[in-house]
Amino acid sequence: MPTYHQLPPLPYSAQYHALAPYIDAQTMELHHTKHHQGYVNKLNQALTQSPDMQPFAYQIDTLCKKIHPHTAPAIRNNAGGHYNHTLFWHILSPNPQKAPKGLLQNALEADFDSFDQFLEKFNQSAVTHFGSGWAWLIVNQKQRLEITTTPNQDNPLMPVSAQQGMPILGIDLWEHAYYLKYQNRRAAYVEALWHVIDWKAVANNYQKALSQL
């Protein structure tokens, strides 16, 4: 079976305890080696059975942009799972830049009035999202910042998403991301994540998004 995709290493040298106490080591290890690895394995298998998607198979962002309503669920779910988790790992850090600066700070203040207002709106969106899914900060086609959520493993790159754009920050809202430590307290998990969100990484994603729109 062709290996279109592989599990990317964590940017903190696979130290599963690196984000403690905000994300515990057991959750990180299971999330990375079982859940994310599972999406990669199932995506590779699904792509071998989907000749129409193979021209886009090797670039995960390009593949997500080709998802349409009739795409095989195994492609849609697992391509999303792989892309979403890869972005998620790379905006987390044990030594994060604690707040946005420069262009991203200016954009957040322009589109949400203040950084605090952004945090309030994002938290509300994440906590009230029904069921499994993701909360996103995206750059839309007008190069404005927006907050949105998607169900399951969908993401805003996909044409099937209600709100499309380039994701620059994404938070996993599936229970496997937080249940061992936070049980059903999603709000506590979301609040804890801000301690390990690296705004330097988000700013890099923002500049990349602007260059691609």
Side-chain angles (χ1 to χ4, degrees):
M1 182 176 71
T3 302
Y4 297 99
H5 298 279
Q6 295 182 330
L7 180 70
L10 294 179
Y12 1 98
S13 303
Q15 298 178 38
Y16 293 114
H17 63 275
L19 302 178
Y22 307 107
I23 307 179
D24 61 285
Q26 185 180 14
T27 294
M28 282 295 294
E29 185 169 7
L30 288 170
H31 202 169
H32 183 243
T33 65
K34 302 301 182 184
H35 291 282
H36 193 174
Q37 182 71 72
Y39 291 122
V40 171
N41 293 346
K42 292 173 185 175
L43 177 59
N44 285 331
Q45 182 177 12
L47 285 168
T48 66
Q49 302 167 3
S50 301
D52 60 317
M53 302 301 281
Q54 288 173 7
F56 323 109
Y58 289 95
Q59 297 294 326
I60 189 61
D61 54 344
T62 302
L63 184 59
C64 286
K65 292 175 183 177
K66 298 297 181 180
I67 302 296
H68 54 77
H70 302 295
T71 299
I75 298 287
R76 177 174 175 171
N77 296 337
N78 293 297
H82 180 32
Y83 175 90
N84 298 352
H85 284 89
T86 300
L87 184 144
F88 185 51
W89 306 136
H90 282 82
I91 61 166
L92 304 177
S93 173
N95 299 294
Q97 179 182 298
K98 297 285 189 179
K101 299 179 180 178
L103 290 176
L104 179 56
Q105 178 186 4
N106 294 340
L108 286 166
E109 291 174 352
D111 292 328
F112 300 103
D113 295 328
S114 70
F115 181 52
D116 287 342
Q117 288 271 23
F118 157 74
L119 290 177
E120 182 179 340
K121 291 177 181 178
F122 192 98
N123 288 350
Q124 178 71 9
S125 183
V127 170
T128 58
H129 177 80
F130 181 76
S132 300
W134 290 75
W136 304 97
L137 177 64
I138 65 171
V139 182
N140 65 24
Q141 292 297 320
K142 297 181 179 179
Q143 299 193 339
R144 302 290 298 273
L145 296 174
E146 287 188 62
I147 295 167
T148 187
T149 63
T150 54
N152 303 316
Q153 292 296 350
D154 285 0
N155 63 55
L157 290 179
M158 297 178 177
V160 294
S161 179
Q163 214 165 350
Q164 295 174 43
M166 291 289 295
I168 64 172
L169 182 154
I171 288 182
D172 192 344
L173 302 178
W174 285 66
E175 287 187 342
H176 65 240
Y178 60 88
Y179 206 83
L180 290 178
K181 181 174 177 66
Y182 297 97
Q183 289 81 51
N184 64 333
R185 295 177 293 123
R186 181 189 283 182
Y189 156 72
V190 172
E191 187 63 36
L193 278 182
W194 297 116
H195 292 277
V196 289
I197 295 289
D198 185 3
W199 284 100
K200 181 177 181 181
V202 179
N204 289 339
N205 291 341
Y206 177 59
Q207 294 201 11
K208 181 179 178 182
L210 291 178
S211 71
Q212 293 180 353
L213 290 170

